[in-house]
Amino acid sequence: MRTKIILFALLLTGFVSTAQQDAQYTHYMYNTINVNPAYAGSRGVLSIFGLHRTQWVGLDGAPVTNSASANFPISGTNLGAGISFVNDRIGPTSEYIASIDLSYTIRTSETYKLSFGVKGSANIFELDRTKLNPEDNNDPLLQNLRNNFSPNIGAGVYLHSDKLYFGVSVPSFFETKRFDDNTFAVNKERMNYYIIGGYVFDLSSSLKFKPAFLSKIIEGAPLQLDVSGNFLIYDKFTLGAAWRWDAAMSFMAGFQITDGLYIGYGYDLETTKLRRYNSGSHEIFLRFELFKKQERVVSPRFF
């Protein structure tokens, strides 16, 4: 136990001293609204999404993320809108983010659409002092730690068709410091740059294959690259795997329960030295979509 606590303390120290990253998702291809506001309304229906992620199971203070969102097209316009909520906990810190997204879509051809999006968010960052074990409880740096609130804005572009999607985004433009007194900062939040893309290949009438990727670039942090491949079988079952560069291997499965309800699960197996201290990461999500009575789903969207 002592080894786990020391290991995590070192991990957390490196985490907060360089750059605060946004929450990490294995199912980024279904949770695009959290990283790119231009995605809002792109599915053409009211889409409600909920996700729970438990990372590095067995490691004290490991990250836990809960996310919920809804997005939809605004009837009779080229606009889309969305709202999302994220709670990300790691060690003694908790972050709460509420966002509103607005997109505008233009048709560039009979096949492709190009969407532009803006995001406005409100962020509350908490540090629970009761979970700390400082050498000096009277340290003046620890006496005035209060919950921090900060607003932010972001933007993105998203090119998409029934087969392809590609997006570039920055969810938060403003860089902020938490509990900063000009000499000491518990947490630094920097800009996260996202590039995301994927393509659906029809291998047969009953089998589709979708390779996808997500790249996240942050100043002061290693490049994160996720590459995945998913098979959709009979428009019902999804099976796939993913690789996170120098971090983890993932296995994914999903089932289209009804035309409007989809459930997915992912398991991450750490490939770094951290694998000795945890039993992997679990992620589960539900997506519910509300169709109009006159609409008929010929083939579920694979992203």
Side-chain angles (χ1 to χ4, degrees):
M1 178 65 71
R2 180 177 175 82
T3 301
K4 293 183 179 181
I5 293 173
I6 292 173
L7 175 68
F8 188 73
L10 292 173
L11 174 69
L12 183 61
T13 299
F15 181 81
V16 300
S17 63
T18 53
Q20 165 69 35
Q21 299 189 32
D22 291 341
Q24 179 174 278
Y25 303 102
T26 297
H27 290 100
Y28 55 85
M29 66 290 293
Y30 301 108
N31 198 26
T32 308
I33 190 68
N34 273 339
V35 301
N36 193 331
Y39 185 81
S42 65
R43 291 185 61 80
V45 297
L46 171 62
S47 183
I48 302 170
F49 184 91
L51 177 146
H52 173 76
R53 177 179 177 83
T54 303
Q55 191 167 329
W56 302 333
V57 173
L59 188 60
D60 292 343
V64 176
T65 302
N66 291 291
S67 173
S69 65
N71 74 92
F72 53 91
I74 299 177
S75 181
T77 73
N78 292 334
L79 298 174
I83 56 173
S84 60
F85 304 92
V86 178
N87 171 225
D88 196 27
R89 304 194 306 272
I90 176 170
T93 67
S94 294
E95 187 172 21
Y96 302 87
I97 304 172
S99 303
I100 297 177
D101 304 288
L102 186 66
S103 70
Y104 182 82
T105 299
I106 58 175
R107 182 174 288 278
T108 59
S109 70
E110 291 187 4
T111 304
Y112 292 99
K113 296 178 181 179
L114 183 62
S115 301
F116 304 87
V118 292
K119 177 186 291 286
S121 60
N123 180 301
I124 296 177
F125 183 85
E126 297 179 349
L127 177 64
D128 186 352
R129 289 183 56 195
T130 64
K131 295 181 180 180
L132 300 176
N133 187 25
E135 291 185 2
D136 181 7
N137 284 315
N138 296 317
D139 189 328
L141 294 176
L142 299 176
Q143 302 311 307
N144 296 312
L145 298 182
R146 297 183 178 87
N147 296 347
N148 279 182
F149 169 82
S150 60
N152 221 313
I153 58 173
V157 294
Y158 186 69
L159 177 69
H160 55 104
S161 68
D162 288 340
K163 299 289 185 182
L164 175 144
Y165 67 95
F166 179 82
V168 179
S169 60
V170 179
S172 300
F173 283 128
F174 300 147
E175 298 185 349
T176 58
K177 294 182 180 180
R178 313 296 188 186
F179 309 114
D180 180 35
D181 67 351
N182 296 321
T183 61
F184 168 80
V186 171
N187 175 285
K188 298 178 181 180
E189 182 176 0
R190 303 185 186 275
M191 284 194 292
N192 289 236
Y193 302 85
Y194 288 90
I195 304 174
I196 190 170
Y199 189 84
V200 179
F201 294 92
D202 291 317
L203 302 183
S204 71
S205 59
S206 60
L207 183 64
K208 296 180 175 68
F209 174 64
K210 183 191 66 179
F213 76 92
L214 179 143
S215 178
K216 184 163 63 172
I217 304 168
I218 313 157
E219 180 185 354
L223 171 71
Q224 180 177 310
L225 176 64
D226 288 66
V227 180
S228 65
N230 280 281
F231 290 93
L232 179 61
I233 306 165
Y234 290 109
D235 289 334
K236 287 289 185 181
F237 301 96
T238 303
L239 293 173
W243 172 71
R244 183 170 299 120
W245 182 29
D246 201 26
M249 287 289 296
S250 304
F251 304 93
M252 297 171 285
F255 179 61
Q256 191 77 42
I257 301 172
T258 67
D259 284 345
L261 184 61
Y262 182 84
I263 185 171
Y265 169 77
Y267 174 75
D268 295 355
L269 181 64
E270 196 74 20
T271 58
T272 68
K273 292 181 180 179
L274 274 175
R275 68 180 181 275
R276 303 173 186 172
Y277 306 99
N278 73 89
S279 57
S281 305
H282 301 272
E283 187 173 292
I284 187 168
F285 74 88
L286 280 171
R287 183 180 66 196
F288 175 71
E289 297 186 315
L290 187 61
F291 299 90
K292 296 178 181 178
K293 290 183 179 180
Q294 64 270 26
E295 290 176 334
R296 178 174 176 265
V297 181
V298 177
S299 177
R301 276 274 301 276
F302 203 5
F303 54 87

Tab-separated table of all heavy atoms in Angstrom, residues 188-208:
chain	number	residue	atom	x	y	z
A	188	LYS	N	-1.979	23.766	-13.212
A	188	LYS	CA	-1.913	24.644	-14.366
A	188	LYS	C	-2.703	24.016	-15.504
A	188	LYS	O	-2.449	22.881	-15.890
A	188	LYS	CB	-0.466	24.865	-14.800
A	188	LYS	CG	0.416	25.536	-13.757
A	188	LYS	CD	1.844	25.668	-14.259
A	188	LYS	CE	2.740	26.303	-13.215
A	188	LYS	NZ	4.143	26.433	-13.679
A	189	GLU	N	-3.658	24.746	-16.029
A	189	GLU	CA	-4.457	24.240	-17.144
A	189	GLU	C	-4.026	24.958	-18.407
A	189	GLU	O	-4.127	26.172	-18.514
A	189	GLU	CB	-5.949	24.475	-16.894
A	189	GLU	CG	-6.810	23.910	-18.009
A	189	GLU	CD	-8.289	24.053	-17.716
A	189	GLU	OE1	-8.633	24.590	-16.662
A	189	GLU	OE2	-9.087	23.627	-18.560
A	190	ARG	N	-3.518	24.205	-19.362
A	190	ARG	CA	-3.039	24.760	-20.618
A	190	ARG	C	-3.981	24.370	-21.756
A	190	ARG	O	-4.873	23.545	-21.590
A	190	ARG	CB	-1.622	24.271	-20.908
A	190	ARG	CG	-0.609	24.603	-19.804
A	190	ARG	CD	0.781	24.196	-20.219
A	190	ARG	NE	1.744	24.354	-19.144
A	190	ARG	CZ	2.370	25.494	-18.852
A	190	ARG	NH1	2.111	26.581	-19.559
A	190	ARG	NH2	3.255	25.552	-17.861
A	191	MET	N	-3.765	24.966	-22.924
A	191	MET	CA	-4.584	24.648	-24.084
A	191	MET	C	-4.324	23.215	-24.544
A	191	MET	O	-3.180	22.772	-24.611
A	191	MET	CB	-4.304	25.621	-25.221
A	191	MET	CG	-4.924	26.988	-25.037
A	191	MET	SD	-4.927	27.978	-26.549
A	191	MET	CE	-3.186	28.277	-26.761
A	192	ASN	N	-5.415	22.503	-24.832
A	192	ASN	CA	-5.348	21.165	-25.395
A	192	ASN	C	-5.769	21.254	-26.861
A	192	ASN	O	-6.883	21.700	-27.165
A	192	ASN	CB	-6.297	20.218	-24.664
A	192	ASN	CG	-5.825	19.884	-23.255
A	192	ASN	OD1	-5.662	18.733	-22.894
A	192	ASN	ND2	-5.613	20.900	-22.429
A	193	TYR	N	-4.890	20.838	-27.763
A	193	TYR	CA	-5.187	20.854	-29.201
A	193	TYR	C	-5.575	19.435	-29.624
A	193	TYR	O	-4.831	18.481	-29.377
A	193	TYR	CB	-3.974	21.313	-30.005
A	193	TYR	CG	-3.447	22.677	-29.634
A	193	TYR	CD1	-2.545	22.835	-28.587
A	193	TYR	CD2	-3.853	23.813	-30.339
A	193	TYR	CE1	-2.051	24.090	-28.249
A	193	TYR	CE2	-3.363	25.071	-30.000
A	193	TYR	CZ	-2.464	25.205	-28.964
A	193	TYR	OH	-1.980	26.446	-28.623
A	194	TYR	N	-6.720	19.308	-30.296
A	194	TYR	CA	-7.209	17.996	-30.715
A	194	TYR	C	-7.296	17.904	-32.235
A	194	TYR	O	-7.765	18.829	-32.909
A	194	TYR	CB	-8.608	17.734	-30.155
A	194	TYR	CG	-8.655	17.480	-28.670
A	194	TYR	CD1	-8.810	18.532	-27.767
A	194	TYR	CD2	-8.567	16.190	-28.159
A	194	TYR	CE1	-8.865	18.304	-26.400
A	194	TYR	CE2	-8.627	15.953	-26.800
A	194	TYR	CZ	-8.779	17.020	-25.929
A	194	TYR	OH	-8.828	16.780	-24.580
A	195	ILE	N	-6.876	16.756	-32.747
A	195	ILE	CA	-7.105	16.396	-34.147
A	195	ILE	C	-7.741	15.011	-34.129
A	195	ILE	O	-7.206	14.079	-33.508
A	195	ILE	CB	-5.801	16.367	-34.967
A	195	ILE	CG1	-5.086	17.709	-34.877
A	195	ILE	CG2	-6.095	16.033	-36.421
A	195	ILE	CD1	-3.710	17.709	-35.534
A	196	ILE	N	-8.890	14.876	-34.781
A	196	ILE	CA	-9.637	13.621	-34.723
A	196	ILE	C	-10.107	13.253	-36.122
A	196	ILE	O	-10.393	14.130	-36.950
A	196	ILE	CB	-10.837	13.758	-33.759
A	196	ILE	CG1	-11.495	12.411	-33.496
A	196	ILE	CG2	-11.852	14.779	-34.258
A	196	ILE	CD1	-12.534	12.442	-32.377
A	197	GLY	N	-10.150	11.955	-36.410
A	197	GLY	CA	-10.603	11.543	-37.723
A	197	GLY	C	-10.928	10.068	-37.787
A	197	GLY	O	-10.515	9.276	-36.926
A	198	GLY	N	-11.685	9.681	-38.821
A	198	GLY	CA	-12.039	8.283	-39.014
A	198	GLY	C	-12.710	8.074	-40.354
A	198	GLY	O	-13.183	9.033	-40.986
A	199	TYR	N	-12.747	6.832	-40.808
A	199	TYR	CA	-13.384	6.500	-42.089
A	199	TYR	C	-14.034	5.122	-41.968
A	199	TYR	O	-13.474	4.211	-41.354
A	199	TYR	CB	-12.370	6.494	-43.233
A	199	TYR	CG	-13.015	6.374	-44.593
A	199	TYR	CD1	-13.496	7.499	-45.247
A	199	TYR	CD2	-13.173	5.124	-45.205
A	199	TYR	CE1	-14.109	7.396	-46.489
A	199	TYR	CE2	-13.779	5.007	-46.442
A	199	TYR	CZ	-14.250	6.154	-47.077
A	199	TYR	OH	-14.868	6.050	-48.292
A	200	VAL	N	-15.215	4.970	-42.574
A	200	VAL	CA	-15.963	3.706	-42.530
A	200	VAL	C	-15.853	3.000	-43.875
A	200	VAL	O	-16.217	3.558	-44.917
A	200	VAL	CB	-17.442	3.949	-42.184
A	200	VAL	CG1	-18.208	2.624	-42.175
A	200	VAL	CG2	-17.576	4.654	-40.841
A	201	PHE	N	-15.336	1.753	-43.853
A	201	PHE	CA	-15.242	0.922	-45.047
A	201	PHE	C	-16.347	-0.132	-45.007
A	201	PHE	O	-16.513	-0.822	-44.001
A	201	PHE	CB	-13.880	0.217	-45.102
A	201	PHE	CG	-12.712	1.141	-45.275
A	201	PHE	CD1	-12.036	1.642	-44.157
A	201	PHE	CD2	-12.272	1.513	-46.544
A	201	PHE	CE1	-10.949	2.483	-44.317
A	201	PHE	CE2	-11.194	2.358	-46.701
A	201	PHE	CZ	-10.527	2.853	-45.591
A	202	ASP	N	-17.090	-0.256	-46.096
A	202	ASP	CA	-18.094	-1.316	-46.221
A	202	ASP	C	-17.408	-2.568	-46.760
A	202	ASP	O	-17.151	-2.681	-47.968
A	202	ASP	CB	-19.224	-0.884	-47.155
A	202	ASP	CG	-20.076	0.221	-46.557
A	202	ASP	OD1	-20.396	0.135	-45.359
A	202	ASP	OD2	-20.392	1.184	-47.277
A	203	LEU	N	-17.106	-3.519	-45.881
A	203	LEU	CA	-16.442	-4.740	-46.312
A	203	LEU	C	-17.417	-5.718	-46.948
A	203	LEU	O	-17.045	-6.520	-47.804
A	203	LEU	CB	-15.739	-5.392	-45.119
A	203	LEU	CG	-14.689	-4.519	-44.405
A	203	LEU	CD1	-14.026	-5.314	-43.283
A	203	LEU	CD2	-13.654	-3.992	-45.378
A	204	SER	N	-18.661	-5.680	-46.496
A	204	SER	CA	-19.728	-6.491	-47.079
A	204	SER	C	-21.048	-5.880	-46.641
A	204	SER	O	-21.083	-4.877	-45.935
A	204	SER	CB	-19.625	-7.953	-46.627
A	204	SER	OG	-19.971	-8.075	-45.262
A	205	SER	N	-22.153	-6.511	-47.017
A	205	SER	CA	-23.467	-5.980	-46.631
A	205	SER	C	-23.701	-6.091	-45.129
A	205	SER	O	-24.564	-5.395	-44.578
A	205	SER	CB	-24.571	-6.730	-47.378
A	205	SER	OG	-24.517	-8.128	-47.075
A	206	SER	N	-22.938	-6.953	-44.456
A	206	SER	CA	-23.150	-7.158	-43.024
A	206	SER	C	-21.952	-6.766	-42.166
A	206	SER	O	-21.983	-6.948	-40.953
A	206	SER	CB	-23.489	-8.630	-42.753
A	206	SER	OG	-22.436	-9.471	-43.188
A	207	LEU	N	-20.900	-6.232	-42.798
A	207	LEU	CA	-19.684	-5.935	-42.040
A	207	LEU	C	-19.080	-4.606	-42.472
A	207	LEU	O	-18.839	-4.378	-43.661
A	207	LEU	CB	-18.660	-7.064	-42.245
A	207	LEU	CG	-17.347	-6.938	-41.459
A	207	LEU	CD1	-17.612	-7.013	-39.956
A	207	LEU	CD2	-16.359	-8.015	-41.892
A	208	LYS	N	-18.844	-3.736	-41.486
A	208	LYS	CA	-18.183	-2.454	-41.716
A	208	LYS	C	-16.936	-2.384	-40.837
A	208	LYS	O	-16.897	-2.950	-39.740
A	208	LYS	CB	-19.113	-1.280	-41.388
A	208	LYS	CG	-20.349	-1.169	-42.259
A	208	LYS	CD	-21.185	0.034	-41.843
A	208	LYS	CE	-22.371	0.256	-42.774
A	208	LYS	NZ	-23.363	-0.826	-42.644
